Amino acid sequence: MKLKLYSYWRSSCSYRVRIGLNLKGLEYEYKAVDLLKGEQFSPEFLKINPIGYVPALVDGDFVVSDSFAILMYLEEKYPHHPLLPSDLKRKAINYQAANLVSSSIQPFQNLTSVKYIEEKVDADEGDVWTKTHIGKGFVALEKLLKDYAGEYATGDEVFLADLFLAPQLYAAINVINLDMTQFPLLLRLHEAYSKLPAFQNAVPEKQPDAPSS
């Protein structure tokens, strides 16, 4: 039975999982959830993921949500093209970089968070808030990866850290317009990802629910 991925085209969390599925060569059915229309809070979707977030993966009668959990599930079930290196220290750095993105950067650009800031503080404060927290996280990532990076984040092979970095870099550059001149390593990685089919086929504008113009 084909996997089903509940996704939103601009969701960076969904973007991570799309890259992972592509790298492992797994076919899946794309199930669009329009976050702007609030479809994530529909009774139908809340049965799939009670917290109302994308992505969610359906594998037969099993459902798993949260991008990290989904990718670890896929890694265990489909070990070809591993997402983690065998070296213990590099594996730990992959976990650290992925968690830095997922817990210390991405939540601050989340649609719900930014909307709350704009409503409670000021309409312009959302942009300042987002750029401040992404910049802080990128400073940390530059320092973390400088001794491990090769062609990609933790060496010359694509691993878990890259799956988390690519969507975050895409959002920073293409959506938030963050000045990347102070992040040369991350900018180089962004350029490297642009040459990989598994990454390029996962970009927001190539998804079935992306606007046509």
PDB file of all heavy atoms in Angstrom, residues 11-26:
ATOM      1  N   SER A  11       5.062  24.415   4.102  1.00  0.00           N
ATOM      2  CA  SER A  11       5.472  23.926   5.420  1.00  0.00           C
ATOM      3  C   SER A  11       6.893  23.378   5.375  1.00  0.00           C
ATOM      4  O   SER A  11       7.177  22.423   4.660  1.00  0.00           O
ATOM      5  CB  SER A  11       4.510  22.821   5.886  1.00  0.00           C
ATOM      6  OG  SER A  11       5.097  22.049   6.913  1.00  0.00           O
ATOM      7  N   SER A  12       7.796  23.989   6.145  1.00  0.00           N
ATOM      8  CA  SER A  12       9.176  23.501   6.151  1.00  0.00           C
ATOM      9  C   SER A  12       9.277  22.130   6.811  1.00  0.00           C
ATOM     10  O   SER A  12      10.147  21.327   6.468  1.00  0.00           O
ATOM     11  CB  SER A  12      10.108  24.501   6.845  1.00  0.00           C
ATOM     12  OG  SER A  12       9.727  24.720   8.183  1.00  0.00           O
ATOM     13  N   CYS A  13       8.377  21.848   7.744  1.00  0.00           N
ATOM     14  CA  CYS A  13       8.378  20.526   8.382  1.00  0.00           C
ATOM     15  C   CYS A  13       7.990  19.440   7.381  1.00  0.00           C
ATOM     16  O   CYS A  13       8.581  18.363   7.349  1.00  0.00           O
ATOM     17  CB  CYS A  13       7.433  20.522   9.578  1.00  0.00           C
ATOM     18  SG  CYS A  13       7.871  21.698  10.870  1.00  0.00           S
ATOM     19  N   SER A  14       6.991  19.739   6.552  1.00  0.00           N
ATOM     20  CA  SER A  14       6.603  18.804   5.498  1.00  0.00           C
ATOM     21  C   SER A  14       7.710  18.670   4.455  1.00  0.00           C
ATOM     22  O   SER A  14       7.969  17.572   3.939  1.00  0.00           O
ATOM     23  CB  SER A  14       5.319  19.289   4.825  1.00  0.00           C
ATOM     24  OG  SER A  14       4.254  19.394   5.733  1.00  0.00           O
ATOM     25  N   TYR A  15       8.356  19.760   4.154  1.00  0.00           N
ATOM     26  CA  TYR A  15       9.456  19.823   3.187  1.00  0.00           C
ATOM     27  C   TYR A  15      10.560  18.827   3.575  1.00  0.00           C
ATOM     28  O   TYR A  15      11.097  18.088   2.743  1.00  0.00           O
ATOM     29  CB  TYR A  15       9.948  21.264   3.184  1.00  0.00           C
ATOM     30  CG  TYR A  15      10.934  21.731   2.161  1.00  0.00           C
ATOM     31  CD1 TYR A  15      11.166  23.102   2.021  1.00  0.00           C
ATOM     32  CD2 TYR A  15      11.660  20.872   1.343  1.00  0.00           C
ATOM     33  CE1 TYR A  15      12.082  23.599   1.108  1.00  0.00           C
ATOM     34  CE2 TYR A  15      12.576  21.363   0.421  1.00  0.00           C
ATOM     35  CZ  TYR A  15      12.795  22.724   0.314  1.00  0.00           C
ATOM     36  OH  TYR A  15      13.704  23.217  -0.577  1.00  0.00           O
ATOM     37  N   ARG A  16      10.901  18.773   4.875  1.00  0.00           N
ATOM     38  CA  ARG A  16      11.925  17.835   5.350  1.00  0.00           C
ATOM     39  C   ARG A  16      11.568  16.401   4.985  1.00  0.00           C
ATOM     40  O   ARG A  16      12.400  15.620   4.525  1.00  0.00           O
ATOM     41  CB  ARG A  16      12.053  17.913   6.874  1.00  0.00           C
ATOM     42  CG  ARG A  16      12.412  19.246   7.445  1.00  0.00           C
ATOM     43  CD  ARG A  16      12.150  19.259   8.948  1.00  0.00           C
ATOM     44  NE  ARG A  16      12.228  20.607   9.485  1.00  0.00           N
ATOM     45  CZ  ARG A  16      11.720  20.961  10.658  1.00  0.00           C
ATOM     46  NH1 ARG A  16      11.089  20.071  11.418  1.00  0.00           N
ATOM     47  NH2 ARG A  16      11.839  22.207  11.087  1.00  0.00           N
ATOM     48  N   VAL A  17      10.318  16.056   5.252  1.00  0.00           N
ATOM     49  CA  VAL A  17       9.868  14.685   5.011  1.00  0.00           C
ATOM     50  C   VAL A  17       9.828  14.378   3.516  1.00  0.00           C
ATOM     51  O   VAL A  17      10.187  13.275   3.094  1.00  0.00           O
ATOM     52  CB  VAL A  17       8.493  14.443   5.668  1.00  0.00           C
ATOM     53  CG1 VAL A  17       7.969  13.049   5.325  1.00  0.00           C
ATOM     54  CG2 VAL A  17       8.600  14.612   7.182  1.00  0.00           C
ATOM     55  N   ARG A  18       9.431  15.351   2.715  1.00  0.00           N
ATOM     56  CA  ARG A  18       9.421  15.139   1.266  1.00  0.00           C
ATOM     57  C   ARG A  18      10.831  14.822   0.757  1.00  0.00           C
ATOM     58  O   ARG A  18      11.008  13.939  -0.092  1.00  0.00           O
ATOM     59  CB  ARG A  18       8.858  16.379   0.550  1.00  0.00           C
ATOM     60  CG  ARG A  18       7.397  16.666   0.882  1.00  0.00           C
ATOM     61  CD  ARG A  18       6.759  17.658  -0.076  1.00  0.00           C
ATOM     62  NE  ARG A  18       7.381  18.963  -0.121  1.00  0.00           N
ATOM     63  CZ  ARG A  18       6.916  20.054   0.482  1.00  0.00           C
ATOM     64  NH1 ARG A  18       5.821  19.975   1.233  1.00  0.00           N
ATOM     65  NH2 ARG A  18       7.520  21.225   0.331  1.00  0.00           N
ATOM     66  N   ILE A  19      11.835  15.519   1.284  1.00  0.00           N
ATOM     67  CA  ILE A  19      13.216  15.225   0.893  1.00  0.00           C
ATOM     68  C   ILE A  19      13.576  13.799   1.289  1.00  0.00           C
ATOM     69  O   ILE A  19      14.151  13.044   0.499  1.00  0.00           O
ATOM     70  CB  ILE A  19      14.201  16.213   1.544  1.00  0.00           C
ATOM     71  CG1 ILE A  19      13.955  17.641   1.075  1.00  0.00           C
ATOM     72  CG2 ILE A  19      15.647  15.805   1.220  1.00  0.00           C
ATOM     73  CD1 ILE A  19      14.749  18.691   1.856  1.00  0.00           C
ATOM     74  N   GLY A  20      13.242  13.415   2.514  1.00  0.00           N
ATOM     75  CA  GLY A  20      13.566  12.073   2.991  1.00  0.00           C
ATOM     76  C   GLY A  20      12.924  10.986   2.144  1.00  0.00           C
ATOM     77  O   GLY A  20      13.574   9.991   1.795  1.00  0.00           O
ATOM     78  N   LEU A  21      11.672  11.170   1.802  1.00  0.00           N
ATOM     79  CA  LEU A  21      10.974  10.208   0.946  1.00  0.00           C
ATOM     80  C   LEU A  21      11.639  10.127  -0.426  1.00  0.00           C
ATOM     81  O   LEU A  21      11.825   9.032  -0.976  1.00  0.00           O
ATOM     82  CB  LEU A  21       9.508  10.607   0.804  1.00  0.00           C
ATOM     83  CG  LEU A  21       8.631  10.417   2.049  1.00  0.00           C
ATOM     84  CD1 LEU A  21       7.343  11.213   1.922  1.00  0.00           C
ATOM     85  CD2 LEU A  21       8.319   8.943   2.265  1.00  0.00           C
ATOM     86  N   ASN A  22      12.016  11.278  -0.953  1.00  0.00           N
ATOM     87  CA  ASN A  22      12.683  11.305  -2.265  1.00  0.00           C
ATOM     88  C   ASN A  22      14.037  10.612  -2.215  1.00  0.00           C
ATOM     89  O   ASN A  22      14.386   9.849  -3.129  1.00  0.00           O
ATOM     90  CB  ASN A  22      12.853  12.750  -2.742  1.00  0.00           C
ATOM     91  CG  ASN A  22      11.539  13.418  -3.084  1.00  0.00           C
ATOM     92  OD1 ASN A  22      10.514  12.763  -3.235  1.00  0.00           O
ATOM     93  ND2 ASN A  22      11.560  14.733  -3.202  1.00  0.00           N
ATOM     94  N   LEU A  23      14.813  10.883  -1.186  1.00  0.00           N
ATOM     95  CA  LEU A  23      16.141  10.268  -1.068  1.00  0.00           C
ATOM     96  C   LEU A  23      16.043   8.749  -1.009  1.00  0.00           C
ATOM     97  O   LEU A  23      16.884   8.041  -1.567  1.00  0.00           O
ATOM     98  CB  LEU A  23      16.857  10.781   0.184  1.00  0.00           C
ATOM     99  CG  LEU A  23      17.462  12.182   0.104  1.00  0.00           C
ATOM    100  CD1 LEU A  23      17.926  12.619   1.487  1.00  0.00           C
ATOM    101  CD2 LEU A  23      18.629  12.224  -0.877  1.00  0.00           C
ATOM    102  N   LYS A  24      15.028   8.268  -0.325  1.00  0.00           N
ATOM    103  CA  LYS A  24      14.855   6.822  -0.177  1.00  0.00           C
ATOM    104  C   LYS A  24      14.088   6.209  -1.340  1.00  0.00           C
ATOM    105  O   LYS A  24      13.852   5.004  -1.373  1.00  0.00           O
ATOM    106  CB  LYS A  24      14.172   6.513   1.153  1.00  0.00           C
ATOM    107  CG  LYS A  24      15.090   6.761   2.367  1.00  0.00           C
ATOM    108  CD  LYS A  24      14.438   6.390   3.664  1.00  0.00           C
ATOM    109  CE  LYS A  24      15.404   6.528   4.835  1.00  0.00           C
ATOM    110  NZ  LYS A  24      16.501   5.536   4.810  1.00  0.00           N
ATOM    111  N   GLY A  25      13.689   7.037  -2.289  1.00  0.00           N
ATOM    112  CA  GLY A  25      13.003   6.532  -3.472  1.00  0.00           C
ATOM    113  C   GLY A  25      11.638   5.944  -3.180  1.00  0.00           C
ATOM    114  O   GLY A  25      11.200   5.011  -3.872  1.00  0.00           O
ATOM    115  N   LEU A  26      10.951   6.506  -2.201  1.00  0.00           N
ATOM    116  CA  LEU A  26       9.652   5.968  -1.792  1.00  0.00           C
ATOM    117  C   LEU A  26       8.516   6.744  -2.448  1.00  0.00           C
ATOM    118  O   LEU A  26       8.439   7.964  -2.345  1.00  0.00           O
ATOM    119  CB  LEU A  26       9.515   6.042  -0.267  1.00  0.00           C
ATOM    120  CG  LEU A  26      10.551   5.235   0.530  1.00  0.00           C
ATOM    121  CD1 LEU A  26      10.441   5.547   2.020  1.00  0.00           C
ATOM    122  CD2 LEU A  26      10.356   3.743   0.290  1.00  0.00           C
TER     123      LEU A  26
END
